Amino acid sequence: MLLNWILLFAALFACGLCLDNGLARTPPMGWLSWIRFGCNIDCVSDPDFCISEKLIMQMADHMAKDGYKDAGYEYVCIDDCWLATERDKNRRLQPDPKRFPRGMKFLADYVHSRGLKLGIYEDFGTKTCGGYPGSEFYLQLDAQTFAEWGIDLLKFDTCHSDAHDNKYGYPAMSMYLNQTGRPILFSCEWPYGELQQNLSSDYGPVRQYCNIWRNDWDVMDDFKNVMGIVGFYGKNNELFMKYSGPGGFFDPDQLIVGGIGMSHYQQRAQMAMWAMFSAPLLMSNDLRDIPEEAKQLLLNKYILSVDQDPLGAMATKVWEFKGLQLWVKPIMPKGSLAIVFFNTNAFGSGSAISSAAGDIGMTDSRGYQVTEVFTGKDLGTFKPDTKLKTRVFTTDAYMIVCKILS
Ligand code: GLA
């Protein structure tokens, strides 16, 4: 075992800065199966909702034809529970033969034919979180297998492993992915594994070897949980700001917009905050059956432009008062801002805002052209002393884009 790590170290040293795939210049966008479809493997009695090639093909079709692809959503990602329970006789990973009868190469070709990319899930440990064969001891072989199949993104989980090993194992997998010559976006749960085992994370190497990284608990279709994640990002704001940028982004987990457990207002609050974090926008919903207002939110060009802003900055949490938070994010052109008020209160008629623009970040005397993003309403020109008057409802957000005037 020790010898393995020594050899790996030598290889990593030789390859220098390993993650050199040119991907994720802006936060990746797409769809991921986990929150909505979980580990449903019962295709006999639940054929339309189980993890299968049919489900993934249907999602790809909807992404391509319903406007998501044109808006920038690109990766169709399968989470856990796609695997057969054993490796094949050559120790290669194989998908469950009943649920993926035509294999992963077929599925990748199908997704590519729709102009999209295919993401897959594996685990650094001996098993995936769902109990399927993990990649430990097979990192190189698995990277090669994914590349041969035509996979474009790997979500690499951390169950059934010792998190002390993450700082060796994830760089090793990053190197093996690079060596395949296929650009495969590397989505890591490296810091999340460390968090679970009460270890601290060093985001320098994480950013060096991963394109996106989970560092908090799983999101659920529930606003309390979303608030918990926003709280965690608020608490660690100064640290996280140093590591977000083109090529590498924090991943607060899937977007539950179009889900069941949150109101429309809560969904737009999640969407706003994820855009402020420059987070990957990986929706986990049923694109075959999605409320129109959720769809419009997912396609909202103002929110998407804040998320996809080329600076890739993490917003600053400016203050929190009585459950109301103010977040400000620099965007292009230089001097412009996105501003969000995020209301965590679940009682009352909301918070009334009456504030000079300069007090919430718009301090430049050239002024700003301000747009409210959910309605797309042009609020006109603001100077630092212009008053912004609005109301932020409970468990909701208010979001504006402020473009600097020249
Ligand atoms: C972990 C991850 C989730 C999901 C499941 C799959 O909990 O954090 O995002 O991938 O495993 O089993």
Side-chain angles (χ1 to χ4, degrees), residues 273-284:
M273 288 313 301
W274 265 228
M276 295 298 274
F277 294 152
S278 295
L281 299 181
L282 296 170
M283 47 187 174
S284 195

Side-chain angles (χ1 to χ4, degrees), residues 224-242:
K224 274 211 178 102
N225 183 278
V226 168
M227 279 197 297
I229 294 173
V230 174
F232 178 70
Y233 274 60
K235 222 181 273 163
N236 296 285
N237 190 226
E238 273 182 37
L239 176 69
F240 292 0
M241 281 167 65
K242 295 183 192 147

Side-chain angles (χ1 to χ4, degrees), residues 343-358:
N343 192 348
T344 63
N345 294 301
F347 175 78
S349 53
S351 305
I353 308 284
S354 174
S355 185

Side-chain angles (χ1 to χ4, degrees), residues 14 96 135 142 146 201 272 298 342 363 378:
D96 180 278
S135 281
D142 292 353
F146 296 143
S201 300
L298 289 162
F342 180 73
T363 52
D378 181 353

Side-chain angles (χ1 to χ4, degrees), residues 32 34-35 38-39 79-81 121-123 128-132 155-159 189 192 196 214 216-220 253-254:
L32 177 62
W34 183 248
I35 289 295
C39 192
D79 208 287
D80 204 349
C81 306
Y121 165 100
E122 242 299 350
D123 191 291
T128 71
C129 299
Y132 292 87
K155 173 176 175 179
F156 209 43
D157 210 339
T158 182
C159 280
E189 295 213 24
Y192 175 45
Q196 284 175 307
R214 281 273 309 281
D216 199 9
W217 308 100
D218 289 9
V219 73
M220 295 286 155
D253 210 0
Q254 295 138 89

Side-chain angles (χ1 to χ4, degrees), residues 16-268:
L17 206 159
C18 282
L19 187 71
D20 185 21
N21 59 15
L23 298 173
R25 304 320 296 168
T26 59
M29 295 169 60
W31 178 93
L32 177 62
S33 59
W34 183 248
I35 289 295
R36 191 58 181 259
F37 296 95
C39 192
N40 181 352
I41 56 171
D42 184 2
C43 289
V44 176
S45 56
D46 204 8
D48 293 333
F49 292 87
C50 63
I51 301 299
S52 65
E53 68 175 30
K54 182 173 106 177
L55 181 76
I56 302 305
M57 289 161 71
Q58 288 178 342
M59 292 306 155
D61 290 345
H62 282 281
M63 270 191 37
K65 72 178 168 60
D66 295 347
Y68 299 99
K69 185 181 121 189
D70 292 342
Y73 294 89
E74 190 181 16
Y75 291 91
V76 185
C77 305
I78 319 168
D79 208 287
D80 204 349
C81 306
W82 60 271
L83 283 152
T85 50
E86 302 289 341
R87 288 174 178 267
D88 73 8
K89 59 179 185 331
N90 299 316
R91 299 183 168 190
R92 284 188 172 249
L93 292 171
Q94 50 183 349
D96 180 278
K98 290 222 171 68
R99 292 181 287 118
F100 294 89
R102 289 173 280 193
M104 285 300 169
K105 174 87 176 70
F106 163 82
L107 193 54
D109 288 346
Y110 184 88
V111 168
H112 294 156
S113 76
R114 297 293 181 272
L116 298 164
K117 294 183 170 161
L118 183 64
I120 213 163
Y121 165 100
E122 242 299 350
D123 191 291
F124 169 54
T126 49
K127 285 188 232 163
T128 71
C129 299
Y132 292 87
S135 281
E136 193 156 2
F137 313 119
Y138 298 100
L139 299 181
Q140 187 171 20
L141 179 63
D142 292 353
Q144 282 164 357
T145 305
F146 296 143
E148 280 163 27
W149 286 345
I151 298 296
D152 305 291
L153 176 153
L154 173 65
K155 173 176 175 179
F156 209 43
D157 210 339
T158 182
C159 280
H160 304 286
S161 70
D162 179 347
H164 290 95
D165 291 343
N166 287 5
K167 55 178 174 291
Y168 313 114
Y170 278 83
M173 192 55 168
S174 185
M175 174 189 73
Y176 290 133
L177 290 173
N178 252 9
Q179 283 179 354
T180 66
R182 183 176 179 82
I184 299 179
L185 195 147
F186 194 29
S187 161
C188 300
E189 295 213 24
W190 169 357
Y192 175 45
E194 292 172 337
L195 174 88
Q196 284 175 307
Q197 294 179 25
N198 293 319
L199 302 172
S200 60
S201 300
D202 181 350
Y203 289 105
V206 171
R207 189 189 152 87
Q208 195 178 348
Y209 294 107
C210 303
N211 292 116
I212 59 175
W213 51 87
R214 281 273 309 281
N215 64 340
D216 199 9
W217 308 100
D218 289 9
V219 73
M220 295 286 155
D221 189 358
D222 163 42
F223 194 66
K224 274 211 178 102
N225 183 278
V226 168
M227 279 197 297
I229 294 173
V230 174
F232 178 70
Y233 274 60
K235 222 181 273 163
N236 296 285
N237 190 226
E238 273 182 37
L239 176 69
F240 292 0
M241 281 167 65
K242 295 183 192 147
Y243 297 99
S244 178
F249 300 98
F250 288 84
D251 177 8
D253 210 0
Q254 295 138 89
L255 267 185
I256 320 300
V257 177
I260 296 154
M262 298 203 289
S263 71
H264 177 65
Y265 298 98
Q266 294 170 343
Q267 293 184 24
R268 68 186 200 175

